[in-house]
Amino acid sequence: MTPNKSSILVTGGCGYVGSHTVLSLLQSGYKVIVLDNMSNTSCSAATTEPEILKRIKKLHCGGDQDIPFYAVDIIDKQALTDVFTLHPDISTVIHCAGLKSVGESGRKPLDYYHVNLAGTINLLQVMEDFGVRRIVFSSSATVYGDPPKIPIPEDSPIVASMSTYGRTKVFLEHIIRDLCVASEIKQRDYVLAQEKQGAEIETDYRWSALLLRYFNPAGAHPSGLMGEDPQGVPNNLMPYLAQVAVGNLEKLTIFGQDYPTKDGTCIRDYLHVMDCADGHVAALAKIEQDEAAGLYQCKAYNLGAGTGCSVLDMVHAFSKAVGRDLPYVISARRAGDVPNLTADSTLANQELNWKAERSLEQMCEDLWRWQRKNPRGFNSQPLE
Ligand code: WQD
């Protein structure tokens, strides 16, 4: 009997976007399985249940919901196979696991190609082995490089030139797209063979893949229980600013004030992490709706607010939430940075029925609440 395929596997489900996505899925009625190698969180993997999952359960249903968790690395194909063997009910994978530091990727390219490419290929192969052919992939606006047009539509050329990290995202989009095309051919050949034998069409080998190009997720869950908890000194602007605000870091260094923008600092499209999480739920609904209509596709969608904010805009907005001016200095540009990455999110609005609902002020207030309540991330005050 075909198992009831109703569970969503979230790889990287203990990470920043992954954990908020897990909560959004639970609150939308999905059953969720979490897989994470625990490499980018202060949660201890030694415990049977990471702190972040305890907090997700507390937020969702007071703590008694079962969320199967596996401390697994996607480069471990056998471990991935074991998870799928234990959970024949997996219908879709939301794939957030991967290395994500632009700067680090330039210093450790082989690590990034190994984990992000080989790890994802492992996952796709295991999914195929188990007949799980729906994926929502965590891609990034970085695939646009330095785009010719702002705001950026999805048909803007994707370039593999900005960083090793960005290249892994471009290559993975191509890998997933090729897989989807091959699955269409496989299905066509299968149908022809079955029809020639007068046999039933019992299987659909086609894949559905939605590639979500995140712009700049920021903020935290409004409860203050969940947020970004990067290991070491944060690479990204908003978690770095939050560490300055709680006094863990002395001041922000703004990488360049000589860009062709209104105030010389780079412009990005910051979206509330809960909006980003909700985008994954919208993507699942889109796949379900499409397949019910016999449509199987591989398609990219921008997840962005559609509003560009400069680095100085963000410093001022967050300073306002904190209630004091946060200190910063200006330094030289950071290699790989581009002047403006602002989304045209029309396609997601129209086809996913999704748009960023939360304001920049909410993003800053929620980030500040998370950081001041958890100055040392998840190690600050474990739930009792
Ligand atoms: C934003 C702006 C910096 C830190 C990258 C990836 C993207 C995603 C997020 C993974 C830039 C400036 C930053 C600092 C600064 N990665 N800045 N001082 O580079 O837009 O996106 O990280 O999820 O895929 O491409 O984000 O937050 O690093 O930088 O001045 O200490 O803030 O120069 O202009 P970015 P970011």
Side-chain angles (χ1 to χ4, degrees):
M1 180 185 77
T2 307
N4 172 23
K5 292 226 174 214
S6 61
S7 291
I8 311 298
L9 172 66
V10 181
T11 71
C14 292
Y16 177 44
V17 171
S19 59
H20 288 81
T21 297
V22 166
L23 180 60
S24 194
L25 288 167
L26 290 169
Q27 290 177 332
S28 301
Y30 287 97
K31 287 195 300 180
V32 182
I33 299 157
V34 173
L35 180 152
D36 198 298
N37 73 350
M38 306 304 291
S39 67
N40 190 30
T41 170
S42 57
C43 295
S44 160
T47 58
T48 52
E49 185 173 55
E51 179 66 19
I52 178 64
L53 292 187
K54 291 177 185 170
R55 295 184 181 210
I56 288 172
K57 289 165 73 171
K58 180 179 173 68
L59 285 168
H60 173 54
C61 57
D64 56 7
Q65 160 110 13
D66 177 39
I67 305 175
F69 165 68
Y70 299 92
V72 164
D73 197 315
I74 56 175
I75 57 175
D76 183 345
K77 191 173 180 180
Q78 184 53 55
L80 282 174
T81 301
D82 295 345
V83 172
F84 279 78
T85 304
L86 286 169
H87 292 279
D89 56 321
I90 295 172
S91 71
T92 313
V93 172
I94 294 182
H95 181 32
C96 297
L99 299 178
K100 58 160 276 189
S101 166
V102 172
E104 182 186 58
S105 71
R107 299 190 298 273
K108 301 179 178 177
L110 292 183
D111 290 358
Y112 274 68
Y113 288 130
H114 184 208
V115 171
N116 292 6
L117 298 192
T120 301
I121 290 169
N122 277 347
L123 174 67
L124 296 170
Q125 288 175 326
V126 172
M127 288 173 69
E128 182 61 63
D129 293 345
F130 284 83
V132 179
R133 299 186 181 98
R134 291 177 172 182
I135 187 167
V136 176
F137 173 60
S138 165
S139 189
S140 166
T142 198
V143 304
Y144 293 119
D146 189 359
K149 182 181 168 189
I150 299 293
I152 312 166
E154 282 83 354
D155 61 5
S156 187
I158 64 173
V159 296
S161 61
M162 299 317 292
S163 68
T164 297
Y165 161 79
R167 274 186 283 280
T168 66
K169 293 298 185 181
V170 170
F171 297 156
L172 288 171
E173 286 203 10
H174 286 300
I175 288 168
I176 293 168
R177 201 176 298 281
D178 287 349
L179 174 62
C180 292
V181 170
S183 76
E184 294 277 353
I185 297 167
K186 180 174 182 179
Q187 182 65 12
R188 187 198 62 201
D189 295 347
Y190 165 71
V191 168
L192 286 174
Q194 293 298 91
E195 284 171 348
K196 192 177 286 184
Q197 299 170 24
E200 289 295 309
I201 311 295
E202 294 166 334
T203 307
D204 204 316
Y205 292 102
R206 291 174 292 180
W207 278 68
S208 293
L210 298 191
L211 316 173
L212 302 184
R213 293 173 180 163
Y214 305 164
F215 276 70
N216 287 65
H221 188 269
S223 65
L225 284 176
M226 295 170 60
E228 193 164 8
D229 181 24
Q231 293 307 283
V233 176
N235 296 297
N236 299 131
L237 175 65
M238 295 312 286
Y240 195 105
L241 256 181
Q243 291 295 319
V244 171
V246 290
N248 292 343
L249 293 170
E250 182 196 349
K251 60 183 177 300
L252 172 73
T253 300
I254 295 180
F255 299 134
Q257 196 176 16
D258 60 349
Y259 285 96
T261 63
K262 63 177 182 177
D263 59 22
T265 64
C266 291
I267 292 173
R268 293 291 182 274
D269 183 332
Y270 297 90
L271 78 154
H272 198 293
V273 66
M274 284 310 295
D275 282 326
C276 186
D278 293 344
H280 295 75
V281 177
L284 282 183
K286 171 67 173 167
I287 289 177
E288 289 157 3
Q289 171 194 344
D290 280 354
E291 289 193 1
L295 175 63
Y296 293 74
Q297 60 176 343
C298 178
K299 194 160 187 177
Y301 291 95
N302 290 334
L303 290 193
T307 310
C309 290
S310 72
V311 175
L312 282 172
D313 287 337
M314 299 307 285
V315 172
H316 297 147
F318 193 57
S319 294
K320 186 176 175 192
V322 172
R324 63 182 170 82
D325 289 342
L326 296 174
Y328 64 85
V329 294
I330 305 289
S331 77
R333 293 182 175 189
R334 178 174 69 175
D337 277 338
V338 298
N340 192 329
L341 290 173
T342 301
D344 175 347
S345 52
T346 309
L347 203 61
N349 302 160
Q350 290 173 346
E351 296 190 8
L352 301 185
N353 190 28
W354 173 90
K355 68 181 175 71
E357 304 282 355
R358 297 157 177 95
S359 67
L360 175 63
E361 289 70 25
Q362 283 172 284
M363 211 184 296
C364 292
E365 285 163 15
D366 293 343
L367 174 57
W368 178 226
R369 186 177 308 106
W370 151 252
Q371 203 68 85
R372 70 174 184 269
K373 292 172 75 169
N374 302 274
R376 290 186 300 107
F378 291 106
N379 284 333
S380 304
Q381 180 125 17
L383 287 181
E384 55 284 351

